Amino acid sequence: MDKKVENQTQLHKKQVHLFYCAECEDLARKVAAHSDLITLQSINWRNFDDGFPNLYINNAQEMRGQHVAFLAAFSSPGVIFEQLSVIYALPRLFVASFTLVLPFFPTGSFERMEEEGDVATAFTMARILSNIPISRGGPTSLVIYDIHALQERFYFGDHVLPLFETGIPLLKQRLHQLPDSDKIVVAFPDDGAWKRFHKLLDHFPMVVCTKVREGDKRIVRLKEGNPAGCHVVIVDDLVQSGGTLIECQKVLVANGATKVSAYVTHGVFPKRSWERFTHKSDGSGSAFAYFWITDSCPLTVKAIANKRPFEVLSLAGSIADALKI
């Protein structure tokens, strides 16, 4: 390809200006490092004396006619309002298109009403995001990874186009690098995880666990599959306290697993619950050989840095690819 044709091809590729919340700066820089077509842009995240946001979008005038994206992290209710203010403002800058990347949809586990009075906050969040102003190029593209309940994809209105991605390819790539890659068995802690992920991992032998009630307790049991003599990797979309993973690990070892690891796309870990999984300096501690998470929850990534058995599988390359669509 001669230089002129190469330059014309480059011009026709989608150039994206990526804004990001303060929490996502490290991830945003990794995303931009994956492609010369992604340029980082900044926002001044300031507050008035009363605590309410005082925000400024840098280079706003230059965004006219450009493809613009925002990398968000709704890690707590306190940071959602300031980010929504920016998310609603960016499409109105006469941009060519707008993409919102929200790797972790945080209210996803509160998706249904079980009795009158329950509030399905996942539906509320979907309604809020569905009302992002339409840009010059049409509806907002909304990129989410491993949303908790599959039916939540139908919560979004026509003003956004949800693009549901998964972190599982990162896990598969890592598993093939392991010295015992021929001895891997994938385990699901419940039927919900199996439904969500089994088609993406169908070339691995599988084990399915289940939770049963015994009085007031919920006990994890082996439902199907054989973990004996294998390195078993428990796969789920997210972890909070980690209690289910620990109970699942005990059942797998009791049924002959030689080693147990875990993968979750979203390491939420409220109240530093990740601490129950770390290896101690004396070699004691975690019963898990590896614990893989992605960088969808940036605060967790900082907290578990250099702490065994945790490894972070970055979504940066996948996000960069999604922004080019």
Side-chain angles (χ1 to χ4, degrees):
M1 185 184 293
D2 64 42
K3 199 69 177 174
K4 184 177 179 182
V5 174
E6 186 178 340
N7 289 340
Q8 287 177 336
T9 304
Q10 193 78 354
L11 284 170
H12 285 96
K13 287 183 178 178
K14 185 178 176 184
Q15 306 262 350
V16 179
H17 295 270
L18 178 61
F19 293 87
Y20 52 90
C21 67
E23 199 175 299
C24 282
E25 182 173 354
D26 289 345
L27 178 54
R29 293 192 181 283
K30 288 179 183 176
V31 171
H34 273 272
S35 174
D36 293 336
L37 299 170
I38 299 172
T39 303
L40 292 185
Q41 299 291 343
S42 64
I43 293 164
N44 295 344
W45 300 96
R46 304 169 302 198
N47 291 91
F48 292 108
D49 291 341
D50 62 1
F52 276 85
N54 175 17
L55 309 170
Y56 184 80
I57 298 169
N58 294 302
N59 301 325
Q61 192 83 2
E62 297 171 25
M63 293 303 108
R64 292 183 177 183
Q66 302 295 314
H67 298 289
V68 171
F70 182 76
L71 178 59
F74 291 178
S75 56
S76 71
V79 300
I80 291 176
F81 177 66
E82 63 179 20
Q83 291 182 61
L84 283 175
S85 299
V86 169
I87 290 164
Y88 274 50
L90 287 170
R92 303 178 74 110
L93 296 178
F94 219 68
V95 300
S97 71
F98 180 60
T99 301
L100 171 61
V101 182
L102 180 63
F104 174 45
F105 186 69
T107 57
S109 53
F110 305 99
E111 83 282 359
R112 61 183 177 269
M113 290 174 55
E114 294 186 348
E115 60 180 313
E116 196 66 35
D118 284 342
V119 177
T121 50
F123 185 59
T124 305
M125 180 61 72
R127 290 170 71 186
I128 291 171
L129 295 177
S130 296
N131 282 286
I132 297 171
I134 292 177
S135 73
R136 177 184 166 197
T140 292
S141 299
L142 173 59
V143 182
I144 295 175
Y145 284 81
D146 290 320
I147 199 163
H148 180 67
L150 297 180
Q151 70 265 24
E152 289 170 5
R153 66 184 59 213
F154 304 112
Y155 290 1
F156 297 93
D158 293 338
H159 285 188
V160 294
L161 299 172
L163 177 62
F164 296 105
E165 298 283 4
T166 179
I168 294 297
L170 299 172
L171 171 65
K172 288 164 70 173
Q173 183 180 18
R174 184 67 183 95
L175 292 182
H176 287 306
Q177 295 169 351
L178 297 178
D180 57 356
S181 59
D182 59 333
K183 281 286 190 179
I184 298 291
V185 168
V186 170
F188 302 105
D190 52 39
D191 286 331
W194 177 82
K195 288 176 184 175
R196 192 176 297 113
F197 295 125
H198 79 277
K199 289 182 180 178
L200 299 171
L201 294 160
D202 59 5
H203 59 292
F204 289 103
M206 293 184 186
V207 166
V208 182
C209 296
T210 188
K211 295 175 191 172
V212 295
R213 248 182 220 291
E214 287 191 2
D216 294 335
K217 294 182 180 178
R218 295 192 77 183
I219 296 172
V220 175
R221 286 189 177 157
L222 189 66
K223 181 182 177 184
E224 58 184 82
N226 181 16
C230 294
H231 179 182
V232 184
V233 180
I234 306 169
V235 174
D236 209 350
D237 62 319
L238 63 85
V239 59
Q240 298 264 7
S241 69
T244 298
L245 292 178
I246 289 171
E247 292 305 310
C248 196
Q249 182 271 340
K250 291 176 183 176
V251 169
L252 293 167
V253 169
N255 282 273
T258 55
K259 192 190 299 182
V260 178
S261 296
Y263 164 86
V264 295
T265 304
H266 310 297
V268 186
F269 290 121
K271 300 180 180 177
R272 296 174 64 89
S273 55
W274 52 265
E275 290 180 337
R276 65 197 303 193
F277 293 96
T278 53
H279 291 160
K280 306 298 185 287
S281 56
D282 61 2
S284 64
S286 180
F288 288 79
Y290 298 92
F291 199 129
W292 294 288
I293 63 172
T294 74
D295 40 9
S296 67
C297 299
L299 296 180
T300 299
V301 170
K302 288 183 179 178
I304 57 91
N306 302 316
K307 292 182 172 63
R308 295 176 57 231
F310 289 103
E311 283 186 13
V312 177
L313 308 177
S314 182
L315 296 172
S318 178
I319 292 171
D321 289 342
L323 292 178
K324 296 172 192 171
I325 296 174

